[in-house]
């Protein structure tokens, strides 16, 4: 009843009720009531002719007549535009919905085989359409593809020099874009954000492991926005960096604004076939250039490497850019299996611009890496469809040298991450990560204190196991390490921590840290000084446990809190000006971290 609800015939909104009542009154005058009901029925059912229609069928080999295995079936409308696609079963059967009645064509897309199309057919509103799609199993031989190497500044499907390579890449990209909307599979995702120095030294890292029905770790913004605004966009006082996903690379805006050519891979890409791209000369926004790398024998898309053009800085670095990897699931679907975008961490560096004149310029302080990966994908029936080949299995033994015995029921962590495990009765531990590079594994007993205590370094190589021994030295050894050969005397403590910048979270080196104490009678006053190292760490030792101590920092262009510390009964009372609070002091070692804000 359109006069009572906005969900009536044809979804009439409330604002048109006056119009509706006028039409109804006119119908009552002109025709009998029964005919009016017939007219309303016709009006209500007319839109059904444009509703989705079912297409079912099977893909079979045209010569053998046997079902073709897993692949994609695409529904094309009368203009050749894709309107739907679906993944066939192992028996070649498929089922998909057309958006409306009309004339359509089916196309079979199987990686490494030439695409085949059906005859045109008309969809009826009354019954589902059954189609047997017969394809000729002609393999695509990219291994024998002749690389011309001439740059073609037009859509890749219009260039004979690169069209065969693009066609296979397009199949995988289209499949990945389709898979992104599926909800049948459950995925375990690994996400990370890390900051490294210019020398690839890890400064900060955050990790997340997410489980759910998300099908890819990465999705870009709308392709048309990237075409018009570029891939580096100023937002406030920062630059935002974007990368391409499957939808972006398939978009006509991307293909119309880039040149393409084929190239054989070298060095780490040896044996692969590359479809290279770069922006046309007249592009006025920051863009990307890179390569789609395919396996010639299987014609499968492996990964995409890209870098940014026209960076908004007066320096260049080949690491600034990103990568996207693809993988095919056992079901035949494709996913973005992992990705990474590497952006610069910029700082103002002093330099001499002329005799006696010092100026500043923007320089590269390090790289921020943001990325993710699919650890595992499980189908709706519980079948494991994908396991990351980059998984690192870590095993080891935690050993206490002071007691000459293994450490049972202790937590072991990878420094700077959330990956951890608990040792068993024999001191053994095991867990898996997706990390790569050199990392430290430590016991959580004193790892929060920020110094080498019960740590072991290892190089995590993707797909390779790591076995290690984490040895905890006697606490006296730790004191000598922190305080020098004299160690730590009775009623004495260690104060240690890191100093970071509030806005960026990066450590600040060469900051002076001072500790003062005053005796009640005016004697035995004292002061200790230390400077932070490259990682922003400092150590003050020994701190007198008999008197309150004051800890402050001295850093140019920065300001931060001052701590007043009183050690008592194996703990400490700390006041940073906001009120006293009690904190534990394990093994007489107190951690105080400073977050400094840059002065205006």
């Amino acid at each position: 009843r359109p006069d009572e609800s906005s969900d009536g015939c044809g979804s009439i909104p409330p604002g048109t009720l006056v119009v509706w009542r006028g039409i109804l009154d006119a119908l009552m005058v002109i025709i009998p009531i029964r005919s009016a009901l017939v007219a309303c029925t016709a009006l209500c059912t007319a839109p059904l002719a444009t509703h989705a229609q079912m297409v079912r069928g099977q893909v079979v080999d045209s010569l053998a007549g046997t079902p073709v295995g897993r692949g994609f079936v695409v529904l094309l409308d009368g203009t050749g535009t894709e309107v739907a696609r679906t993944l066939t079963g192992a028996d070649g059967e498929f089922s998909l919905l057309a958006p409306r009645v009309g004339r359509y064509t089916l196309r079979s897309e199987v990686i490494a085989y030439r695409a085949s199309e059906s005859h045109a057919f008309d969809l009826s509103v009354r019954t589902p359409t059954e189609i047997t799609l017969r394809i000729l199993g002609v393999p695509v031989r990219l291994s024998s593809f002749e690389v011309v190497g001439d740059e073609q500044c037009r859509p890749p499907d219009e260039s004979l020099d690169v069209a065969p390579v693009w066609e296979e890449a397009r199949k995988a990209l289209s499949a990945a874009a389709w898979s992104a909307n599926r909800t049948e599979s459950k995925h375990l995702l690994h996400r990370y954000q890390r900051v490294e120095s210019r020398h690839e030294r890890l400064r900060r890292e955050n990790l997340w492991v997410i489980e759910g029905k998300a099908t890819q770790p990465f999705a870009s913004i709308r392709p048309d926005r990237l075409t018009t605004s570029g891939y580096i966009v100023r937002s406030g006082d920062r630059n935002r960096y974007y990368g391409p996903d499957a939808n972006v690379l398939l978009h006509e805006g991307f293909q119309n604004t880039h040149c393409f050519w084929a190239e054989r891979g070298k060095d780490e890409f040896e044996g692969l076939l590359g479809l290279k791209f770069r922006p046309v000369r007249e592009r006025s926004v920051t863009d990307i250039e890179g390569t789609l790398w395919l396996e010639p024998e299987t014609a499968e898309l492996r990964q995409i490497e890209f870098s940014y053009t026209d960076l908004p800085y007066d320096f260049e670095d080949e690491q600034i850019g990103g990568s996207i990897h693809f993988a095919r699931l056992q079901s035949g679907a494709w996913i973005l299996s992992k990705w990474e975008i590497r952006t610069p961490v910029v700082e103002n560096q002093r330099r001499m611009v002329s005799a006696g004149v010092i100026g500043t310029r923007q320089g590269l302080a390090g790289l921020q890496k943001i990325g993710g990966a699919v650890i595992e994908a499980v189908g709706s029936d519980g079948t494991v469809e994908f396991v990351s080949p980059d998984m690192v299995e870590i095993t080891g033994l935690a050993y206490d040298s002071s007691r000459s015995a293994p450490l049972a029921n202790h937590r072991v962590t990878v420094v700077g991450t959330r990956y951890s495990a608990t040792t068993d009765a024999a001191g053994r531990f095991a867990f898996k990560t997706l990390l790569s590079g050199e990392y430290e594994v430590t016991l959580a007993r004193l790892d929060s204190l920020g110094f080498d205590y019960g740590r072991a370094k290892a190089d995590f190589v993707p797909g390779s196991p790591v076995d290690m021994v984490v040895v905890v030295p006697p606490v006296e050894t730790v004191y000598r390490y922190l305080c020098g050969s004299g160690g730590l005397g009775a009623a004495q403590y260690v104060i240690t921590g890191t100093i970071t910048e509030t806005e960026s979270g990066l450590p600040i080196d060469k900051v002076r840290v001072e500790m003062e104490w005053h005796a009640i009678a005016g004697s035995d006053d004292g002061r200790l000084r230390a400077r932070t190292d490259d990682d922003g760490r400092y150590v003050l030792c020994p701190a007198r446990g008999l008197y309150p101590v004051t800890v402050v920092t001295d850093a140019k262009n920065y300001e931060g809190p001052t701590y007043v510390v009183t050690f008592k009964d194996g703990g400490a009372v700390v006041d940073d000006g906001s009120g006293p609070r009690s904190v534990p002091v394990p093994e007489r070692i107190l951690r105080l971290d400073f977050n400094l804000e840059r002065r205006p």
Side-chain angles (χ1 to χ4, degrees):
R1 292 181 55 86
D3 56 339
E4 295 181 358
S5 169
S6 62
D7 295 324
C9 173
S11 299
I12 296 176
T16 62
L17 293 182
V18 174
V19 179
W20 165 254
R21 290 180 182 128
I23 293 173
L24 189 59
D25 291 341
L27 288 172
M28 296 304 177
V29 172
I30 297 172
I31 58 177
I33 292 294
R34 182 175 179 182
S35 299
L37 294 177
V38 172
C40 184
T41 302
L43 289 171
C44 291
T45 57
L48 293 178
T50 63
H51 286 181
Q53 304 300 307
M54 180 68 68
V55 182
R56 299 191 183 101
Q58 185 180 36
V59 183
V60 299
D61 188 290
S62 61
L63 297 179
T66 56
V68 175
R70 303 212 182 257
F72 278 88
V73 171
V74 182
L75 186 65
L76 309 173
D77 65 13
T79 66
T81 302
E82 177 180 327
V83 295
R85 77 165 45 224
T86 190
L87 186 65
T88 65
D91 55 3
E93 293 187 353
F94 64 89
S95 176
L96 49 73
L97 285 175
R100 63 189 64 84
V101 298
R103 196 161 184 80
Y104 292 93
T105 304
L106 287 173
R107 182 174 66 208
S108 171
E109 290 188 355
V110 180
I111 302 293
Y113 286 90
R114 293 181 185 175
S116 299
E117 292 189 5
S118 72
H119 61 277
F121 58 91
D122 293 315
L123 282 181
S124 169
V125 68
R126 299 182 180 279
T127 58
T129 300
E130 298 280 348
I131 296 288
T132 299
L133 180 55
R134 302 182 183 277
I135 69 171
L136 187 62
V138 179
V140 175
R141 303 293 186 187
L142 290 184
S143 55
S144 58
F145 176 77
E146 182 180 356
V147 175
V148 177
D150 293 337
E151 183 178 291
Q152 303 292 322
C153 295
R154 57 177 180 266
D157 59 347
E158 297 180 5
S159 170
L160 295 178
D161 292 340
V162 299
V165 184
W166 167 250
E167 175 62 16
E168 298 309 307
R170 185 197 61 77
K171 291 177 186 176
L173 292 171
S174 299
W178 175 85
S179 300
N181 298 318
R182 297 175 66 227
T183 57
E184 291 84 356
S185 297
K186 181 182 293 185
H187 288 64
L188 191 63
L189 304 179
H190 164 101
R191 300 290 299 269
Y192 63 85
Q193 179 180 9
R194 63 174 63 104
V195 176
E196 297 178 353
S197 69
R198 289 191 299 266
H199 310 294
E200 298 185 354
R201 188 171 187 176
L202 184 64
R203 291 295 184 89
R204 187 179 75 247
E205 184 170 56
N206 295 314
L207 294 170
W208 304 268
V209 177
I210 307 168
E211 184 175 1
K213 290 186 176 181
T215 55
Q216 60 182 7
F218 163 70
S220 187
I221 62 173
R222 293 201 328 262
D224 56 333
R225 285 186 56 190
L226 294 175
T227 300
T228 57
S229 303
Y231 289 76
I232 302 178
V233 180
R234 192 71 176 174
S235 177
D237 59 348
R238 296 186 180 185
N239 290 311
R240 292 186 178 274
Y241 291 75
Y242 298 102
D245 61 5
N247 286 315
V248 171
L249 296 167
L250 291 168
H251 192 258
E252 63 179 1
F254 180 86
Q255 297 173 34
N256 290 333
T257 56
H258 288 80
C259 304
F260 300 85
W261 70 99
E263 187 174 282
R264 297 288 179 187
K266 299 178 181 179
D267 300 328
E268 63 177 305
F269 300 108
E270 185 72 35
L272 297 180
L273 179 60
L275 179 60
K276 303 187 75 69
F277 61 87
R278 67 178 168 208
V280 295
R281 297 182 187 276
E282 57 268 24
R283 287 286 280 166
S284 59
V285 297
T286 301
D287 213 303
I288 58 172
E289 60 183 6
T291 311
L292 289 77
W293 292 106
L294 292 85
E295 169 60 53
E297 295 299 326
T298 63
E300 293 184 349
L301 178 62
R302 293 301 184 196
Q303 66 189 85
I304 299 172
E305 299 289 329
F306 67 91
S307 60
Y308 296 96
T309 63
D310 299 321
L311 287 170
Y313 308 107
D314 57 355
F315 62 83
E316 297 286 340
D317 190 281
E318 61 182 10
Q319 295 187 76
I320 299 173
S323 60
I324 304 171
H325 294 248
F326 295 81
R328 180 158 59 173
L329 305 182
Q330 289 187 9
S331 64
W334 282 76
I335 59 171
L336 276 66
S337 58
K338 64 178 179 178
W339 66 278
E340 181 177 81
I341 293 182
R342 300 176 293 274
T343 64
V345 177
V346 181
E347 66 178 2
N348 290 323
Q349 300 173 343
R350 301 182 66 192
R351 65 170 181 172
M352 183 174 291
V353 294
S354 61
V357 179
I358 303 297
T360 61
R361 69 172 182 179
Q362 290 181 324
L364 183 65
L367 289 175
Q368 177 177 246
K369 297 181 178 180
I370 301 175
V374 176
I375 300 175
E376 186 179 75
V378 180
S380 56
D381 59 354
T383 302
V384 177
E385 296 185 311
F386 173 80
V387 175
S388 172
D390 299 327
M391 191 75 70
V392 180
E393 184 173 359
I394 302 173
T395 59
L397 171 68
Y399 189 78
D400 188 344
S401 61
S402 63
R403 296 188 298 111
S404 299
L407 280 170
N409 198 33
H410 275 66
R411 190 165 61 92
V412 179
T413 63
V414 180
V415 176
T417 79
R418 298 181 182 181
Y419 284 102
S420 65
T422 302
T423 60
D424 60 16
R428 299 288 304 179
F429 60 87
F431 56 98
K432 295 180 179 180
T433 82
L434 273 179
L435 302 175
S436 62
E438 188 177 73
Y439 283 85
E440 287 183 313
V441 174
T442 180
L443 285 156
R445 183 179 176 187
L446 290 179
D447 65 336
S448 63
L449 300 179
F451 59 88
D452 297 326
Y453 183 83
R455 297 189 179 197
K457 289 186 178 180
D459 192 20
F460 295 174
V461 179
S464 301
V466 174
D467 192 68
M468 58 201 320
V469 177
V470 183
V471 179
V472 177
V475 69
E476 290 77 13
T477 303
V478 177
Y479 294 153
R480 287 194 295 270
Y481 170 76
L482 294 174
C483 305
S485 58
L488 197 65
Q492 293 181 339
Y493 293 81
V494 178
I495 298 178
T496 184
T498 60
I499 297 180
T500 57
E501 185 183 49
T502 302
E503 183 177 358
S504 67
L506 293 174
I508 310 175
D509 60 358
K510 298 181 178 59
V511 175
R512 189 170 69 182
V513 187
E514 295 185 354
M515 176 177 67
E516 295 182 350
W517 65 91
H518 302 280
I520 297 175
S523 60
D524 198 27
D525 292 354
R527 175 181 295 175
L528 281 177
R529 293 187 178 94
R531 285 192 181 274
T532 57
D533 61 15
D534 291 342
D535 294 323
R537 289 166 51 183
Y538 73 90
V539 176
L540 294 171
C541 179
R544 304 300 179 104
L546 301 177
Y547 317 110
V549 299
T550 303
V551 184
V552 298
T553 61
D554 181 12
K556 294 181 179 179
N557 303 322
Y558 291 95
E559 59 185 2
T562 296
Y563 291 100
V564 177
V565 181
T566 304
F567 294 100
K568 184 179 181 181
D569 299 330
V573 176
V574 179
D575 190 349
D576 61 358
S578 60
R581 56 188 174 87
S582 298
V583 297
V585 187
E587 306 289 0
R588 292 191 288 165
I589 302 175
L590 171 66
R591 176 162 186 167
L592 290 180
D593 292 329
F594 289 83
N595 291 313
L596 305 186
E597 295 185 359
R598 187 180 292 272
R599 292 190 179 98

PDB file of all heavy atoms in Angstrom, residues 384-396:
ATOM      1  N   VAL A 384      41.931 -26.543   3.555  1.00  0.00           N
ATOM      2  CA  VAL A 384      42.975 -25.517   3.533  1.00  0.00           C
ATOM      3  C   VAL A 384      43.341 -25.252   2.075  1.00  0.00           C
ATOM      4  O   VAL A 384      43.907 -26.103   1.396  1.00  0.00           O
ATOM      5  CB  VAL A 384      44.210 -25.951   4.335  1.00  0.00           C
ATOM      6  CG1 VAL A 384      45.305 -24.896   4.244  1.00  0.00           C
ATOM      7  CG2 VAL A 384      43.844 -26.193   5.788  1.00  0.00           C
ATOM      8  N   GLU A 385      42.998 -24.054   1.588  1.00  0.00           N
ATOM      9  CA  GLU A 385      43.211 -23.716   0.183  1.00  0.00           C
ATOM     10  C   GLU A 385      44.556 -23.054  -0.077  1.00  0.00           C
ATOM     11  O   GLU A 385      45.045 -23.053  -1.200  1.00  0.00           O
ATOM     12  CB  GLU A 385      42.095 -22.787  -0.297  1.00  0.00           C
ATOM     13  CG  GLU A 385      40.713 -23.410  -0.292  1.00  0.00           C
ATOM     14  CD  GLU A 385      39.679 -22.478  -0.889  1.00  0.00           C
ATOM     15  OE1 GLU A 385      39.639 -21.296  -0.496  1.00  0.00           O
ATOM     16  OE2 GLU A 385      38.938 -22.923  -1.770  1.00  0.00           O
ATOM     17  N   PHE A 386      45.144 -22.471   0.970  1.00  0.00           N
ATOM     18  CA  PHE A 386      46.404 -21.756   0.772  1.00  0.00           C
ATOM     19  C   PHE A 386      47.130 -21.631   2.095  1.00  0.00           C
ATOM     20  O   PHE A 386      46.527 -21.362   3.129  1.00  0.00           O
ATOM     21  CB  PHE A 386      46.137 -20.360   0.199  1.00  0.00           C
ATOM     22  CG  PHE A 386      47.361 -19.483   0.110  1.00  0.00           C
ATOM     23  CD1 PHE A 386      48.269 -19.633  -0.934  1.00  0.00           C
ATOM     24  CD2 PHE A 386      47.607 -18.504   1.063  1.00  0.00           C
ATOM     25  CE1 PHE A 386      49.398 -18.829  -1.014  1.00  0.00           C
ATOM     26  CE2 PHE A 386      48.734 -17.692   0.991  1.00  0.00           C
ATOM     27  CZ  PHE A 386      49.627 -17.863  -0.064  1.00  0.00           C
ATOM     28  N   VAL A 387      48.453 -21.861   2.059  1.00  0.00           N
ATOM     29  CA  VAL A 387      49.338 -21.616   3.200  1.00  0.00           C
ATOM     30  C   VAL A 387      50.521 -20.821   2.670  1.00  0.00           C
ATOM     31  O   VAL A 387      51.128 -21.186   1.661  1.00  0.00           O
ATOM     32  CB  VAL A 387      49.821 -22.922   3.853  1.00  0.00           C
ATOM     33  CG1 VAL A 387      50.825 -22.624   4.959  1.00  0.00           C
ATOM     34  CG2 VAL A 387      48.645 -23.710   4.412  1.00  0.00           C
ATOM     35  N   SER A 388      50.850 -19.738   3.339  1.00  0.00           N
ATOM     36  CA  SER A 388      51.926 -18.879   2.859  1.00  0.00           C
ATOM     37  C   SER A 388      53.243 -19.645   2.785  1.00  0.00           C
ATOM     38  O   SER A 388      53.646 -20.292   3.758  1.00  0.00           O
ATOM     39  CB  SER A 388      52.093 -17.670   3.777  1.00  0.00           C
ATOM     40  OG  SER A 388      53.253 -16.942   3.418  1.00  0.00           O
ATOM     41  N   PRO A 389      53.938 -19.579   1.640  1.00  0.00           N
ATOM     42  CA  PRO A 389      55.243 -20.233   1.537  1.00  0.00           C
ATOM     43  C   PRO A 389      56.327 -19.500   2.312  1.00  0.00           C
ATOM     44  O   PRO A 389      57.439 -20.007   2.451  1.00  0.00           O
ATOM     45  CB  PRO A 389      55.527 -20.196   0.024  1.00  0.00           C
ATOM     46  CG  PRO A 389      54.787 -18.995  -0.456  1.00  0.00           C
ATOM     47  CD  PRO A 389      53.545 -18.908   0.393  1.00  0.00           C
ATOM     48  N   ASP A 390      56.010 -18.303   2.833  1.00  0.00           N
ATOM     49  CA  ASP A 390      56.993 -17.499   3.550  1.00  0.00           C
ATOM     50  C   ASP A 390      56.973 -17.745   5.054  1.00  0.00           C
ATOM     51  O   ASP A 390      57.673 -17.061   5.806  1.00  0.00           O
ATOM     52  CB  ASP A 390      56.741 -16.010   3.292  1.00  0.00           C
ATOM     53  CG  ASP A 390      56.872 -15.665   1.819  1.00  0.00           C
ATOM     54  OD1 ASP A 390      57.687 -16.301   1.136  1.00  0.00           O
ATOM     55  OD2 ASP A 390      56.146 -14.763   1.354  1.00  0.00           O
ATOM     56  N   MET A 391      56.164 -18.705   5.509  1.00  0.00           N
ATOM     57  CA  MET A 391      56.066 -18.972   6.931  1.00  0.00           C
ATOM     58  C   MET A 391      57.407 -19.441   7.490  1.00  0.00           C
ATOM     59  O   MET A 391      58.093 -20.276   6.899  1.00  0.00           O
ATOM     60  CB  MET A 391      55.010 -20.039   7.198  1.00  0.00           C
ATOM     61  CG  MET A 391      54.649 -20.196   8.657  1.00  0.00           C
ATOM     62  SD  MET A 391      53.621 -18.850   9.245  1.00  0.00           S
ATOM     63  CE  MET A 391      52.099 -19.206   8.395  1.00  0.00           C
ATOM     64  N   VAL A 392      57.803 -18.876   8.636  1.00  0.00           N
ATOM     65  CA  VAL A 392      59.037 -19.267   9.318  1.00  0.00           C
ATOM     66  C   VAL A 392      58.660 -20.001  10.609  1.00  0.00           C
ATOM     67  O   VAL A 392      57.943 -19.454  11.449  1.00  0.00           O
ATOM     68  CB  VAL A 392      59.913 -18.051   9.649  1.00  0.00           C
ATOM     69  CG1 VAL A 392      61.182 -18.481  10.367  1.00  0.00           C
ATOM     70  CG2 VAL A 392      60.263 -17.288   8.379  1.00  0.00           C
ATOM     71  N   GLU A 393      59.132 -21.226  10.758  1.00  0.00           N
ATOM     72  CA  GLU A 393      58.881 -22.001  11.976  1.00  0.00           C
ATOM     73  C   GLU A 393      60.079 -21.867  12.906  1.00  0.00           C
ATOM     74  O   GLU A 393      61.206 -22.222  12.547  1.00  0.00           O
ATOM     75  CB  GLU A 393      58.634 -23.467  11.646  1.00  0.00           C
ATOM     76  CG  GLU A 393      58.276 -24.300  12.871  1.00  0.00           C
ATOM     77  CD  GLU A 393      57.874 -25.722  12.527  1.00  0.00           C
ATOM     78  OE1 GLU A 393      57.854 -26.039  11.317  1.00  0.00           O
ATOM     79  OE2 GLU A 393      57.585 -26.497  13.448  1.00  0.00           O
ATOM     80  N   ILE A 394      59.840 -21.342  14.112  1.00  0.00           N
ATOM     81  CA  ILE A 394      60.908 -21.074  15.074  1.00  0.00           C
ATOM     82  C   ILE A 394      60.780 -22.047  16.242  1.00  0.00           C
ATOM     83  O   ILE A 394      59.725 -22.159  16.859  1.00  0.00           O
ATOM     84  CB  ILE A 394      60.831 -19.627  15.586  1.00  0.00           C
ATOM     85  CG1 ILE A 394      60.924 -18.652  14.409  1.00  0.00           C
ATOM     86  CG2 ILE A 394      61.937 -19.345  16.592  1.00  0.00           C
ATOM     87  CD1 ILE A 394      60.680 -17.223  14.808  1.00  0.00           C
ATOM     88  N   THR A 395      61.842 -22.733  16.525  1.00  0.00           N
ATOM     89  CA  THR A 395      61.905 -23.628  17.686  1.00  0.00           C
ATOM     90  C   THR A 395      63.163 -23.283  18.478  1.00  0.00           C
ATOM     91  O   THR A 395      64.097 -22.662  17.952  1.00  0.00           O
ATOM     92  CB  THR A 395      61.954 -25.101  17.269  1.00  0.00           C
ATOM     93  OG1 THR A 395      63.103 -25.325  16.430  1.00  0.00           O
ATOM     94  CG2 THR A 395      60.699 -25.502  16.514  1.00  0.00           C
ATOM     95  N   GLY A 396      63.181 -23.685  19.741  1.00  0.00           N
ATOM     96  CA  GLY A 396      64.373 -23.387  20.522  1.00  0.00           C
ATOM     97  C   GLY A 396      64.275 -23.842  21.963  1.00  0.00           C
ATOM     98  O   GLY A 396      63.292 -24.467  22.382  1.00  0.00           O
TER      99      GLY A 396
END
